Structures are given as C-alpha cells and as structure tokens.
Amino acid sequence: MANLDEILESKEMADVVRAIEALKQKYGPSTSPKGDLQSAAKEHLWPVALTLVGTYKADVVLRILLDDNAYYPGYKSILAAGFGGWLIAPRSKKIREALAIQAAAAHINNAEVQAGFDEPFTVRKDVAARYLFIGTEFMVEIYDCFGGSQALADAPSFEELWDAFESVEKTINTAARAIAYLHHAADRFGKPGFPFVPSLNKAVQVLDQLKDKNPTYPYKEKFVSRSLLHQRWSQNKQTLALLYAASSIRINRKTLLQIILDGFLSYDDHKDYLQMWVSRARYVSTHIFDRMNDPELSSKTLRLLGEGKAISFSPPKLDDKEAESFSVIFRNFIKN
C-alpha cells in the first residue's frame, strides 16, 4: 500500500481537491445577503480561542453575535453557546467548553442530516456533509481545535457539570426576581423629582417580608438566602441586566432565561431575539441600575452591552403575597 505522502501528493488527490474547491465555490456559503463571508473570514477571531483562552471577553463575543457580518456556518453557534455558559457561570471555563462542544456536535449532526445520512451512506453524501455543510473552516478552527472526534465524544456533558453547581440556578432566579421588584419600584416611584433610589437592600427586604410574614409561602422552593443573593450580585454584576432581560422574553412556553439555564441557548434558534434581548438589558441599565448608588454596576453593564438602542418593557406580574410584601416595604413612597 502507498504511504501517506504518496497519496497526498498524487495526481488523483489533486483532482479531488480541485473538485471539492469547485463544489465549495458553486454551492458553499461564499456570500450572504448580510455580508461577504470571505472578507469577514480574513479578519475574524477564532471561536475556540475566544471561548476558552485567557480571560473571557464577553463584550467582544456579544458584539460579534450582534453584528451583520457573514461568517462560516457554525461560527456564531459556538460563540453563542459559550456566551450562555458564561452568563450563568462566569468563572467556569468547563461550563463554556461543554456548551461549545455541545454546539459543535449539533452543527455536525445537522450537517449530516442535511446531507442525507439518515439514509444509506455514500461518498457523495460524505463529501457534501464535510466540505459544504460542516465546512472546511469549521473543521480547522473548531473541530480540530477541540481535539477532533475523540475529544467531542469524551467531553463531559453540560448536565453533569451543572449538577455540581447546586443552587446556582435558584440564585439566578432569585436575582432576577429581586430586579423585578426594583423594576416595579422604578416604574411607580422613579419619576423626575421623586426622591427614590432603588437598591438591592430594598429588594431583599421584600423577600424577607415575604418569607417572615407568610409561613405557608413556598419561599425555600423559589428563592435562596440573602447571603447567596448578595454574593451572586456582587461577584457577577455585568451579567445581571442580561439575565433579568432574558426572564422577560418568552419563546414558546419557556423564558429565554430558562433556555439559557437549561444549556440550550442557540444562535440558529434564537438569533431573532438577540437584538431585543440586549436592547431590553440596556433599558434595565438605564431605568433601574443608573438610579442606584452603585457606579460599578452601571459601568460594568455598559461595558458589556455597549451603546445602542434601549427598549422598555413591563415587569412581571407579582403574585398576591409578593404584591403585599412590596407594598409594606415601599409604603412610605406609596403614601407620597
């Protein structure tokens, strides 16, 4: 049998490469209504490096997800998955990696389905899947950088890793509910000239009132302790506006926040919601956070979200017990 070098340098291999390049030129995603793939590809940052190497640059990733540049198939899918992992576990590279690998495997699987792999295998289908639907750039910059098929197969699942984070999901939901109380307060008492400054302490007082005065309320099932809430708030300020804004967006029967917490944020499935999501988060920053005596909260949020359109939205409805607790804590403002 011929050695590898002989095979790679053969005329037959050269003919195969030329044929594949011709296929890519004719049928590949070389252009897009939203931009030129080739020009974008010359300057883009490699997604695995952005997701896993060094300090995670969430602001850079978010700009790419929001831009109109055309990248190769799968590029933004990896970035979106990693971004979702960063939002819920900012200090865990393993969570980002698991979700990014999950997105890579999904891209490969979708390409194989698109190429007809659900029916008998053929070389033609394999060529179409690998070089047109998966894409050469994806194979080089993502598949190979992750370590190939063995690395994808051996990677721990998001579910396995997330189980070890115990109360993080409930902590995030508690933080989102605390911001909801401040959202209600800002809507009602945040008019010009009105002496109201929202604060996390006020939101915590609503939670405390709810817990202390309503012994039958399922508080422990819904919320975490004051200390866990303060810890999440103080250590992950830049994520709060996006997490709360995600809780306000419903996609079918779930909120975007629940989709993210389940590890299913997908660029292909959710790209139509990205601009609204970020615009709502900017509204949270200007309408609520900018009124608070916490310059770091505002500055970190702005650094992540950048300048742009802010879209107002209504806070979620409070249940009867929450509304009662809210009224007790904010009664001095209500009387005014």
Side-chain angles (χ1 to χ4, degrees), residues 20-194:
I20 288 173
E21 290 301 321
L23 280 171
K24 289 169 62 179
Q25 186 69 28
K26 184 172 183 179
Y27 299 109
S30 58
T31 59
S32 164
K34 291 188 175 181
D36 175 34
L37 177 65
Q38 300 304 323
S39 62
K42 291 177 183 177
E43 302 177 0
H44 72 264
L45 300 167
W46 284 32
V48 176
L50 274 173
T51 302
L52 301 178
V53 177
T55 302
Y56 186 70
K57 299 178 178 62
D59 56 337
V60 174
V61 172
L62 186 58
R63 301 292 182 280
I64 294 172
L65 292 176
L66 293 173
D67 71 30
D68 287 334
N69 289 333
Y71 301 90
Y72 58 80
Y75 181 87
K76 287 188 176 182
S77 298
I78 302 306
L79 294 184
F83 188 76
W86 171 80
L87 269 179
I88 59 177
R91 290 168 174 75
S92 175
K93 185 169 77 170
K94 287 185 177 180
I95 289 288
R96 293 200 304 274
E97 182 177 23
L99 287 171
I101 286 177
Q102 178 177 290
H107 173 73
I108 292 171
N109 182 68
N110 291 338
E112 291 177 346
V113 171
Q114 190 177 357
F117 274 32
D118 52 337
E119 297 179 359
F121 172 88
T122 67
V123 173
R124 286 180 171 85
K125 290 179 181 179
D126 187 56
V127 170
R130 187 176 300 272
Y131 298 105
L132 297 180
F133 304 142
I134 295 175
T136 305
E137 296 89 348
F138 182 95
M139 296 296 292
V140 171
E141 296 187 11
I142 298 173
Y143 181 81
D144 188 55
C145 283
F146 275 136
S149 60
Q150 194 61 50
L152 267 64
D154 293 343
S157 70
F158 167 74
E159 291 78 9
E160 291 175 304
L161 295 172
W162 194 233
D163 284 345
F165 280 73
E166 297 179 355
S167 62
V168 171
E169 181 169 344
K170 193 188 292 187
T171 304
I172 289 172
N173 285 324
T174 304
R177 205 60 181 177
I179 298 173
Y181 300 150
L182 299 181
H183 191 170
H184 276 278
D187 281 3
R188 295 176 65 176
F189 319 125
K191 298 176 182 178
F194 203 92

Side-chain angles (χ1 to χ4, degrees), residues 10 18 51 79 90 115 125 169 199-200 209 211 220 234 243 259 291 335:
S10 68
R18 278 194 294 271
T51 302
L79 294 184
K125 290 179 181 179
E169 181 169 344
S199 67
L200 176 59
Q209 177 77 16
K211 177 179 65 174
K220 289 185 178 180
S234 62
L243 291 172
I259 290 169
R291 301 173 187 269
K335 286 179 181 178

